[in-house]
Amino acid sequence: MAHRTAALLIDDDARLGALVAEYLGKHEIDVTLAGDGPRGLAAIHKHRPHLVLLDLMLPGMDGLEVCRKIRATAEWSGLPVIMLTAKGEDVDKVVGLEVGADDYLAKPFNPRELLARIRAVLRRASPAATLDRLRVGRLELDFAAREVTMSGKRRVLTHHEFELLATLARASGRVLSREQILDALKGESEPFDRSIDVHVAKLRAKLEPDPKEPRYIKTVRGVGYMLAREAD
C-alpha cells in the first residue's frame, strides 16, 4: 500500500486492541480504538477511517446494530466492515453478512489472516470511486452531471432512479435491505412515495438487457437488493 490506511477497531477488549494496533501499524495501517458502539460511530464521523473492524459482542449496542447504523448512513454506506467475534456458528456469520458486513473473522485469529482480509476488502472497495464519479463494472455514475452510462452508452434516469442507483452502487457487492435503502434516502427533497420494488423494476427496465433475468441489480430473497460488481 503506497499510503497508510486508517482503520477503526470497535472492540471492548483493550488488550486485543493494543495487539492489533501494534501489528497492523507495522504494515502501514494506523488503528484508532473505540470501546463501544456509540464511541465507534462518533469515531467514524471524526476520523473518517478507510475501514472498520467491528466486534459482534459489544456492551450496550452490539456489533450488528452498529453495522446497521453504518449502512443506513448514506455518507458511510460504502465503508468496508470486517466483523470480529468469538462466536463461530454459521448463523452468526450469515446474520453479520446480511446486515452489511463485508467479511467475518472468528476469534481467536492469526494477525496475518486479519491483514490478508483487510487487504482483500480494501481491494474490492477501492476501484473507481472519485469525488465526482463512481464506476462499478460497466456502469458509471457522474454525480456532477447526474448522468449514468452503461458500457459507454448514456441512460436517462429520473431523480429517484439516480439516487436509488447511487445508493446501490456505493454498496456494490453487498446486500442492502429495503429498510436500509429507505434510510439512506431519507434526506431526499422528494420522498419515495412508492415501494422500493417499483423503483427497482424501473431501473432494471433501463439498465438490464433482460429485466426478467437481471444481471446487475440482483434480488436476494428475504433480504433486499444488491448491485453486482460485474455482470455474469
Side-chain angles (χ1 to χ4, degrees):
M1 297 180 187
H3 303 286
R4 295 190 69 87
T5 297
L8 171 65
L9 173 61
I10 307 176
D11 196 313
D12 61 334
D13 186 338
R15 180 174 174 274
L16 174 67
L19 291 172
V20 168
E22 180 181 4
Y23 180 81
L24 294 181
K26 297 175 182 177
H27 296 275
E28 308 298 321
I29 300 174
D30 297 319
V31 179
T32 298
L33 304 175
D36 57 40
R39 280 185 284 181
L41 293 172
I44 294 174
H45 180 75
K46 180 179 179 180
H47 297 289
R48 310 282 177 168
H50 296 108
L51 82 154
V52 173
L53 307 172
L54 176 60
D55 186 34
L56 178 60
M57 304 299 290
L58 291 169
M61 182 190 300
D62 67 21
L64 294 177
E65 182 60 25
V66 174
C67 192
R68 288 190 187 97
K69 289 182 179 296
I70 291 172
R71 294 296 175 239
T73 304
E75 185 181 5
W76 304 339
S77 62
L79 184 62
V81 175
I82 299 176
M83 201 158 272
L84 309 175
T85 177
K87 291 188 175 182
E89 293 86 352
D90 285 343
V91 65
D92 297 307
K93 179 176 181 179
V94 169
V95 172
L97 295 174
E98 284 184 350
V99 299
D102 295 272
D103 204 349
Y104 187 101
L105 191 58
K107 299 176 182 178
F109 51 80
N110 186 314
R112 280 187 281 185
E113 182 178 3
L114 174 61
L115 178 62
R117 299 287 186 98
I118 289 172
R119 286 174 170 168
V121 165
L122 289 175
R123 280 196 301 270
R124 295 199 300 267
S126 72
T130 68
L131 197 60
D132 297 318
R133 292 178 181 270
L134 175 62
R135 187 180 302 109
V136 181
R138 298 179 181 89
L139 178 73
E140 184 170 357
L141 289 83
D142 183 331
F143 291 97
R146 296 188 65 81
E147 290 183 351
V148 172
T149 56
M150 178 67 78
S151 300
K153 296 181 180 179
R154 186 168 177 265
R155 306 297 172 93
V156 179
L157 303 185
T158 68
H159 173 82
H160 281 170
E161 290 163 357
F162 184 91
E163 293 301 328
L164 173 57
L165 181 61
T167 297
L168 294 171
R170 291 187 184 105
S172 61
R174 187 170 55 246
V175 183
L176 295 180
S177 69
R178 291 167 179 80
E179 291 74 20
Q180 287 175 316
I181 294 170
L182 285 170
D183 284 344
L185 296 168
K186 275 182 178 176
E188 287 301 298
S189 57
E190 301 175 41
F192 273 61
D193 54 356
R194 299 184 181 182
S195 73
I196 291 296
D197 301 330
V198 171
H199 291 289
V200 167
K202 290 181 176 180
L203 261 183
R204 282 174 170 161
K206 294 182 177 183
L207 299 178
E208 301 281 0
D210 182 356
K212 293 181 179 179
E213 296 185 10
R215 300 167 59 192
Y216 305 104
I217 303 175
K218 305 279 191 178
T219 299
V220 180
R221 291 188 180 279
V223 184
Y225 294 104
M226 176 185 72
L227 181 68
R229 289 193 175 95
E230 187 61 78
D232 300 329

